[in-house]
Amino acid sequence: MELNDCIAGRRSIRAYKDEPVSKEIVDKIIGAGAWAPSGMNTQPWRFVVIENRATINKLSQRVKEILLGMEWPDEIKERFTSEEDTIFYGTPLLVLVCVEKKEPSWRDVNLLDCGLAAENMFLAAYQEGLGSCFIGFGNFLNQDPNLLAEVGVPKDHELMAPLIFGYPVDIPEPKPREVKVLKWIR
Ligand SMILES: Cc1cc2nc3c(=O)[nH]c(=O)nc-3n(C[C@H](O)[C@H](O)[C@H](O)COP(=O)(O)O)c2cc1C
């Protein structure tokens, strides 16, 4: 696939077919993540791969519990009381991109590193016919280090990028983009 088509064709997908992703493709996705640039080439990302529905549901329920303890507009709150997996959207594949905990300035760099890894992973997934979505809500799981440790994120690590992948039920229309250049000095 042409890179430009891949960049413009990728969408955040929030409904997935009940179809597993092969190990070969998971390896490609994670491998693409590891090709991202990183501050001082630290390659800080560590991947936890979860394909087990019961585990994903448990994480989804926990995120909702945490979110319900916070202030939200009513229409958003509704999502958190649903029995459905309104956090990870019934995905067959959840990848938790995490890093070792660091002091704030390195943490910021590592967060960027993980974001770059995430986009690489999204594009690699799209090339394989998969949809994907960054689930920022999933980062609230950092409030439950015991549960994260249970699924393989060590307590001295922080979850930076919860990413979901799978075969899309349908492809949404693109959300229009605007290129906002503040200034261009020649
Ligand atoms: C850092 C970040 C956090 C996000 N968190 C969520 C989320 O928790 N739930 C969700 O459904 N989408 C989430 N998204 C997806 C965005 O809503 C989506 O990228 C945006 O609406 C643009 O749509 P597109 O990705 O289809 O182009 C997140 C995206 C990013 C980059």
Side-chain angles (χ1 to χ4, degrees):
M1 190 185 290
E2 277 288 317
L3 180 60
N4 284 338
D5 294 339
C6 200
I7 290 172
R10 181 213 56 82
R11 305 270 174 278
S12 289
I13 298 298
R14 299 183 176 85
Y16 294 96
K17 291 183 183 159
D18 187 14
E19 201 179 315
V21 180
S22 72
K23 176 167 187 316
E24 191 197 348
I25 293 182
V26 177
D27 283 339
K28 278 187 188 170
I29 292 172
I30 296 171
W35 272 106
S38 58
M40 292 184 76
N41 191 28
T42 48
Q43 304 181 29
W45 37 71
R46 302 289 178 268
F47 304 101
V48 170
V49 179
I50 306 175
E51 297 179 277
N52 181 282
R53 174 98 310 267
T55 306
I56 295 171
N57 268 341
K58 188 172 172 179
L59 294 175
S60 179
Q61 289 306 325
R62 186 66 187 115
V63 171
K64 285 189 263 187
E65 234 176 73
I66 294 169
L67 291 171
L68 278 171
M70 301 165 65
E71 289 292 317
W72 296 99
D74 285 348
E75 66 277 11
I76 295 191
K77 229 171 183 172
E78 250 171 54
R79 278 173 62 185
F80 308 151
T81 47
S82 163
E83 284 298 303
E84 306 264 291
D85 178 4
T86 47
I87 299 298
F88 298 119
Y89 305 112
T91 183
L93 171 62
L94 170 65
V95 179
L96 305 178
V97 186
C98 45
V99 299
E100 224 177 277
K101 285 180 184 160
K102 295 272 168 61
E103 43 86 18
S105 56
W106 263 112
R107 182 195 179 272
D108 288 352
V109 176
N110 286 172
L111 183 61
L112 289 170
D113 298 337
C114 290
L116 292 165
E119 178 68 353
N120 269 12
M121 293 164 77
F122 292 157
L123 295 178
Y126 182 65
Q127 195 174 36
E128 298 296 327
L130 266 72
S132 59
C133 192
F134 195 117
I135 304 296
F137 278 142
N139 278 335
F140 283 97
L141 287 169
N142 284 308
Q143 293 185 20
D144 191 342
N146 289 330
L147 179 57
L148 281 181
E150 208 180 284
V151 299
V153 180
K155 287 198 177 165
D156 60 351
H157 281 57
E158 182 179 1
L159 170 58
M160 293 293 197
L163 312 176
I164 59 174
F165 302 90
Y167 293 96
V169 169
D170 53 24
I171 312 285
E173 286 298 309
K175 292 182 180 161
R177 299 301 210 256
E178 242 183 280
V179 179
K180 299 167 187 168
V181 179
L182 283 182
K183 196 174 171 81
W184 190 319
I185 300 178
R186 289 202 168 100

